[in-house]
């Protein structure tokens, strides 16, 4: 049986490639030859011209968030806009929750009197 396909991303090129998963073997981008980031099999790339989408993706990947399938078939909630990312950053600062964990939180429960202004 062939290895399962998974996605790899090159942030500088704004490119995504589905390739067989071969463990921690480093993959190089075919366009720029820089190392690609393994993002998981449940990943859907933004369009190349979607600057905001790629900025959000960059924040997620640098925080360690990936797009692996869960028991229900998808990776779970991931923010799609810079506004959603900023909300979660504010939530993490206010509550002390780790940034990567706050990024994948669907609901934010902040008290109004403690929410900081940015």
């Amino acid at each position: 049986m062939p290895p399962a396909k998974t996605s790899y991303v090159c942030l500088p090129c704004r490119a995504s490639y589905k390739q067989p998963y071969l463990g921690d073997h480093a993959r190089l981008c075919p366009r720029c030859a820089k190392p690609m980031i393994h993002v998981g099999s449940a990943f859907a790339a933004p369009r190349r011209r979607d600057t905001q989408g790629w900025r959000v993706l960059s924040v997620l990947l640098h925080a360690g968030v990936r797009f692996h399938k869960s028991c229900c078939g998808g990776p779970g909630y991931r923010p799609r806009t810079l506004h959603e990312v900023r909300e979660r950053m504010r939530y993490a600062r206010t509550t002390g929750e780790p940034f990567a964990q706050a990024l994948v939180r669907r609901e934010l429960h902040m008290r109004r009197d403690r929410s900081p202004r940015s």
Side-chain angles (χ1 to χ4, degrees):
M1 185 158 113
K5 295 243 179 176
T6 189
S7 293
Y8 293 84
V9 167
C10 177
L11 291 173
C13 294
R14 292 185 184 173
S16 171
Y17 302 94
K18 287 267 189 198
Q19 297 181 352
Y21 181 68
L22 303 174
D24 290 334
H25 177 28
R27 300 288 182 141
L28 300 179
C29 175
R31 300 176 96 198
C32 70
K34 291 183 180 175
M36 294 192 298
I37 300 170
H38 177 237
V39 293
S41 59
F43 176 71
R47 293 184 185 266
R48 188 167 282 136
R49 286 181 266 148
D50 181 2
T51 304
Q52 178 177 297
W54 283 95
R55 283 182 65 196
V56 169
L57 178 62
S58 178
V59 170
L60 291 171
L61 296 179
H62 285 103
V65 175
R66 298 298 186 261
F67 297 80
H68 298 288
K69 291 181 181 178
S70 67
C71 64
C72 301
Y77 173 80
R78 302 292 185 265
R80 292 182 175 259
T81 66
L82 289 172
H83 175 73
E84 291 173 335
V85 168
R86 286 186 198 107
E87 282 182 326
R88 278 144 186 81
M89 289 173 70
R90 188 177 315 117
Y91 179 83
R93 279 193 307 268
T94 303
T95 64
E97 183 172 30
F99 185 53
Q101 191 174 334
L103 279 171
V104 297
R105 177 182 285 279
R106 183 178 299 275
E107 303 273 332
L108 300 179
H109 302 287
M110 288 181 20
R111 290 178 27 200
R112 295 237 184 249
D113 59 334
R114 294 197 67 211
S115 62
R117 293 189 148 228
S118 294

